[in-house]
Amino acid sequence: MGKEDAGANSEREYLRKQLQYPDWYIKLEDYLKTQIYPVVHDNPEFMRQRNGFYSLVEEMLDKGGVPLAREGLNLDAERKPIDTVVIHHTEENPDITLERLNAIGFVRQYAQNYLHGDVWGKKGLRGQPIWSGHFRDFGNGQQMTFFAYHWLIRPDGRAERLLEDGEIGHHAGNLNLESIGLSFSGNYEHSTPPVEQIEEAAKIIKENYSFVENARILGHCEVMEARTCPGDMFLGQQGWKNILIAEIEK
Ligand SMILES: [Zn+2]
């Protein structure tokens, strides 16, 4: 084992130890704020490190190794009538497993909210074990889930529902309560998704959210400043948002 591997291993063991506490996100607050939460694009080394952390969290969630809350408030009670669809890309491997995506949501969305201690105006959550109130069976019985989006669409046009419409996803800041999050699996930071993927997104919107006006179908970058999601080919005359809207209008 090289020196570097030994260092990476001892960091992993350190992180693993902290994750066994219900308030792990406070113990790792500095690490999360410097290594995990900054918005970074096109930096393979950063992404490699992050993926190492996500894989550790995924492994521990799978084994029940991270203490979660056993009960909690109905956070979805704050859900408002849906009037907006927000388009995202995962900026991850297009074949990402749902378990990995779930671990990412746990770290990026839920732990960040619990650090602030405030979810939908419910205060005093900082330091508490994390609770989502969302459950799903991955094949080992019901387990708590932390998905940020309602839908995940693969490049070949297969779609998976991650949240029910009545469940709130953490994907669009101030618009979370009244919006649906629809995510393109893959990294489209500088490219256009395959036509099958765009067609499936249009189909999901037509079949489920025909009551949402076209003007309220927005990219993440249109609703949150300083976001580039779903990538720099989305907007503009030649942008793929126009293809999506044209498909919806067909
Ligand atoms: Zn996004």
Side-chain angles (χ1 to χ4, degrees), residues 160-171:
E160 290 152 291
R161 189 189 259 284
L162 307 180
L163 292 173
E164 298 302 322
D165 292 345
E167 295 175 330
I168 302 170
H170 296 255
H171 63 98

Side-chain angles (χ1 to χ4, degrees), residues 61-77:
L61 279 176
D62 181 50
K63 289 186 194 146
V66 185
L68 303 173
R70 293 183 176 278
E71 53 184 8
L73 299 163
N74 175 16
L75 299 171
D76 294 321

Side-chain angles (χ1 to χ4, degrees), residues 15-25 53 56-69 103 106-107 129-130 144 146:
L15 295 170
R16 185 193 300 280
K17 208 168 159 204
Q18 307 311 313
L19 281 160
Q20 293 168 24
Y21 292 94
D23 62 345
W24 63 272
Y25 52 90
F53 184 61
L56 174 64
V57 172
E58 177 191 344
E59 175 199 317
M60 290 185 67
L61 279 176
D62 181 50
K63 289 186 194 146
V66 185
L68 303 173
F106 181 63
V107 171
I130 293 177
M144 209 187 300
F146 307 96

